[in-house]
Amino acid sequence: MTPPPPGVDLVVTGAELVATVDAERREIAGGWVAIEDGLVAAVGGPGDVPPDAAEVLRADGCLVTPGLINTHHHIFQNLTRSYRPAVNGTLFQWLTTLYPRWSRLDEEAAYLSAWVGLAELALGGCTTTTDHLYVHPRGTGDLIAAEITAARELGMRFHPTRGSMSLSEKDGGLPPDSVVQDDDEILADSERLVAAHHDPSWGAMVRIALAPCSPFSVTPQLMTATAELAERLDVRLHTHLAEDPDEDRYAAERFGKRTIEHFEDVGWMSDRSWVAHCIYPDPAEVGRLGAAGVGVAHCPSSNMMIGGGGIAPVADLRAAGSPVGLGCDGSASTDCASLWLEARGALLLGRMRGGPASTGARDALEIGTRGSAACLGREGELGVLEVGAAGDLVCWPLEGIPFAGALSDPVEAWLRCGPVAARHTVVAGRAVVRDGELTATGLEDVLRRHRVASERLQAD
Ligand SMILES: [Zn+2]
């Protein structure tokens, strides 16, 4: 081990186990992690003396992992959680029920939903999240800038994506006219947001990606133009793909091909893209997605909640070469945004599809850390505890009634027992959650205002 630096910002010490998820998948009993200037400065075991630190966080009784990374979400939807008129519809039915509600979104609602959504994720052990905001009602201001303000206040690492819809009901699409925009407007605003907020540097706190809602909610021309713009600006591409069997029926009618063929034909089959869900690729399509290095945001709760009978072929996609990350997805398909819950869901669904030998807790941990980081183009930078990587970690208390008797394997116990939330969530060396509480102030006020905004969206 290289000698630790003389003084650092933060040391997390006393862990029962540090699961680094590094190249050797080192697991260090009694380990510690030191963070300086937002990056991991040293990782050590009980025989190594940690450096002096300005702040020390105790991780006694905890499993310490890299922070979990959320690769798919629609944070604004927490304004319409478990909305009764939509809860038992199919995917297409709940979308058409909720679009008129979401057309009331404004900057205040975007800020509040982001504050609540990011805080919820932090408490559940997430340190980096994307958001896919695809509703931009006319004249409502800069919704993504409002979300970024909330992320900065909380200290979360944030990858908002500039979502878009250009096909409304009159074009044979699902959304009302009031929430769609034309292609030129979408592309110009995408470029503006990248110029204003995207930080390509190592350890960046904010990055922007471009994200047409789905191949059936925008024109093929916009899909192609978005891919070209992403290439020019060197940013990533995100969309929904193969989420529901209805999608292939729609693609057959509209484009005369399967939805993944359409995805290829508009220039998205590349390692610049990561897609949400990907439940229904056929084996040949799994091979093509893997060979191209297309990332997949696996959303276990959403996969189960939407129903439809399919289970995302996660093991096959990973074997074919696709990075697979973890996503909680938005409300209605998942009204609870806990990445611990999604990691457990990935464990359970993986075994349901592939049998008991196919998926263990370490696979789920890897998906939620390294796999997610690769989806976001940040392999080696996020989702791993090694010198030079981002100082993002979670201390998970494996204590009390839920963990009594779990003595032999803290990583398996982490997902098999529980539920568990974060004791400490550290982002860039700063505690966002300490002793189970948010370190940002103002929660009560935000919740009160969030309720007012939710009532306004849900009013008849
Ligand atoms: Zn989604």
Side-chain angles (χ1 to χ4, degrees):
M1 200 190 94
T2 49
V8 297
D9 297 328
L10 177 72
V11 165
V12 176
T13 187
E16 181 179 340
L17 187 78
V18 176
T20 63
V21 203
D22 68 4
E24 290 85 43
R25 307 299 190 270
R26 279 188 308 153
E27 295 180 357
I28 307 167
W32 53 262
V33 181
I35 302 172
E36 170 73 1
D37 290 335
L39 304 177
V40 174
V43 179
D48 311 308
V49 180
D52 291 335
E55 185 184 2
V56 175
L57 278 177
R58 295 294 311 181
D60 303 78
C62 289
L63 170 68
V64 175
T65 69
L68 300 181
I69 301 168
N70 185 27
T71 58
H72 188 63
H73 202 351
H74 311 287
I75 288 176
F76 71 95
Q77 294 176 0
N78 67 26
L79 294 155
T80 52
R81 276 207 250 225
S82 58
Y83 181 60
R84 187 169 178 157
V87 287
N88 288 325
T90 63
L91 172 64
F92 280 23
Q93 285 165 343
W94 72 254
L95 282 172
T96 49
T97 305
L98 285 163
Y99 279 135
R101 309 281 156 195
W102 297 336
S103 72
R104 298 169 181 169
L105 199 62
D106 60 11
E107 277 182 6
E108 164 85 352
Y111 165 80
L112 294 166
S113 61
W115 208 104
V116 168
L118 292 164
E120 180 181 19
L121 285 163
L123 290 163
C126 172
T127 51
T128 299
T129 185
T130 63
D131 184 49
H132 189 183
L133 175 49
Y134 54 79
V135 176
H136 293 272
R138 249 166 246 139
T140 49
D142 192 337
L143 305 184
I144 288 178
E147 291 193 275
I148 291 170
T149 300
R152 289 198 203 285
E153 286 177 16
L154 287 159
M156 286 287 279
R157 207 180 293 278
F158 192 35
H159 281 227
T161 69
R162 206 302 180 179
S164 55
M165 296 192 290
S166 65
L167 294 174
S168 69
E169 285 163 320
K170 69 173 168 29
D171 312 304
L174 295 174
D177 214 29
S178 59
V179 297
V180 308
Q181 296 172 297
D182 69 37
D183 292 4
D184 290 343
E185 194 179 358
I186 289 163
L187 292 166
D189 196 50
S190 300
E191 191 158 1
R192 179 190 67 81
L193 282 165
V194 171
H197 302 291
H198 182 76
D199 177 0
S201 67
W202 187 268
M205 292 299 287
V206 177
R207 286 198 188 163
I208 306 285
L210 308 186
C213 182
S214 67
F216 59 84
S217 53
V218 301
T219 62
Q221 293 76 21
L222 183 62
M223 288 296 287
T224 304
T226 304
E228 289 167 359
L229 182 62
E231 188 77 33
R232 178 157 70 78
L233 301 178
D234 194 20
V235 296
R236 296 186 69 75
L237 286 165
H238 183 50
T239 192
H240 293 93
L241 191 69
E243 177 177 11
D244 188 282
D246 280 352
E247 201 175 315
D248 271 317
R249 283 192 281 278
Y250 180 88
E253 278 168 30
R254 188 164 185 100
F255 308 120
K257 52 187 119 169
R258 283 175 59 81
T259 190
I260 292 174
E261 281 182 87
H262 175 62
F263 177 83
E264 285 180 283
D265 290 349
V266 291
W268 277 58
M269 193 64 104
S270 102
D271 61 4
R272 189 178 288 287
S273 305
W274 90 100
V275 299
H277 307 298
C278 210
I279 298 167
Y280 298 100
D282 66 25
E285 289 167 341
V286 168
R288 297 207 299 280
L289 289 161
V294 174
V296 171
H298 177 41
C299 304
S301 296
S302 169
N303 192 157
M304 290 183 273
M305 187 68 90
I306 291 170
I311 299 174
V314 168
D316 298 343
L317 284 160
R318 294 177 79 201
S322 282
V324 175
L326 208 55
C328 68
D329 205 358
S331 166
S333 47
T334 315
D335 286 297
C336 168
S338 153
L339 285 198
W340 175 84
L341 195 65
E342 297 309 321
R344 180 178 163 88
L347 171 68
L348 297 179
L349 273 188
R351 296 167 75 96
M352 191 165 171
R353 189 181 161 102
S358 70
T359 315
R362 286 171 178 80
D363 295 297
L365 174 61
E366 191 162 319
I367 288 169
T369 54
R370 294 178 77 94
S372 286
C375 284
L376 302 187
R378 303 186 77 167
E379 219 168 358
E381 182 188 4
L382 306 182
V384 57
L385 294 175
E386 64 188 6
V387 173
D392 299 1
L393 59 80
V394 182
C395 303
W396 306 92
L398 309 186
E399 294 178 333
I401 290 171
F403 291 92
L407 306 180
S408 60
D409 188 339
V411 179
E412 281 291 336
W414 170 60
L415 289 187
R416 286 168 175 255
C417 310
V420 64
R423 174 172 295 163
H424 312 304
T425 302
V426 172
V427 181
R430 186 178 156 268
V432 174
V433 173
R434 187 187 292 121
D435 296 320
E437 304 279 346
L438 289 172
T439 55
T441 56
L443 174 62
E444 292 306 315
D445 179 55
V446 168
L447 286 175
R448 185 185 53 73
R449 288 159 62 199
H450 187 278
R451 185 179 180 96
V452 171
S454 295
E455 285 170 349
R456 184 174 65 74
L457 262 71
Q458 294 181 32
D460 291 326

